[in-house]
């Protein structure tokens, strides 16, 4: 997963995450994205895994939001707010990537 924040033109602060169930935190500025088929770090406590996200609310977010990322293969907008959820700060994560375009941030995430 990755999030973008602090837009300046087409550049954003790019942050990468390795947890399995990213959830957008609306109180934290940014937008949270997930990659289809991504591999994840092991969760700190697998028995306490998060519930499956509600795909109906995701669809509503996608309908309402700007679709600039639509041409980026395997990227899904989870919602407004930085990525959070169980294990979001586990180990080396999150990994700051500096200022990137949305596509560059997605490519960095795919390559990690």
């Amino acid at each position: 997963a990755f999030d973008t924040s602090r837009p300046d033109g087409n550049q954003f602060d790019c942050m990468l995450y390795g947890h399995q169930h990213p959830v957008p935190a609306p109180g934290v500025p940014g937008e949270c994205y997930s990659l289809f088929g991504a591999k994840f770090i092991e969760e700190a406590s697998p028995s306490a895994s998060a519930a499956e996200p509600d795909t109906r609310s995701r669809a509503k977010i996608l309908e309402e939001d700007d679709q600039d990322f639509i041409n980026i293969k395997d990227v899904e907008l989870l919602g407004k707010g930085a990525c959070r959820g169980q294990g979001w700060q586990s180990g080396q994560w999150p990994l700051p990537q500096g200022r990137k375009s949305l596509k560059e941030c997605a490519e960095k995430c795919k390559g990690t």
Side-chain angles (χ1 to χ4, degrees):
F2 68 95
D3 64 33
T4 58
S5 61
R6 299 183 44 214
D8 184 12
N10 72 341
Q11 298 287 300
F12 305 85
D13 281 348
C14 172
M15 192 74 72
L16 307 184
Y17 299 88
H19 60 298
Q20 190 168 1
H21 299 288
V23 177
V28 184
E31 291 186 333
C32 182
Y33 297 87
S34 183
L35 298 173
F36 295 110
K39 294 184 174 137
F40 304 100
I41 60 169
E42 285 194 35
E43 297 293 346
S45 178
S47 62
S49 63
E52 284 298 310
D54 182 355
T55 55
R56 290 171 298 177
S57 63
R58 275 193 197 171
K60 185 176 181 189
I61 290 167
L62 291 173
E63 286 172 16
E64 294 173 356
D65 254 325
D66 185 0
Q67 297 280 320
D68 287 344
F69 62 93
I70 200 79
N71 294 324
I72 303 172
K73 186 172 172 35
D74 300 327
V75 173
E76 177 184 16
L77 173 65
L78 297 180
K80 296 218 180 269
C83 294
R84 295 295 185 266
Q86 182 180 350
W88 77 276
Q89 290 182 308
S90 294
Q92 66 181 3
W93 305 96
L95 298 174
Q97 300 297 304
R99 305 290 289 173
K100 305 273 182 221
S101 70
L102 184 56
K103 186 171 184 166
E104 289 168 337
C105 191
E107 293 301 323
K108 278 284 195 184
C109 191
K110 287 179 187 180
T112 302

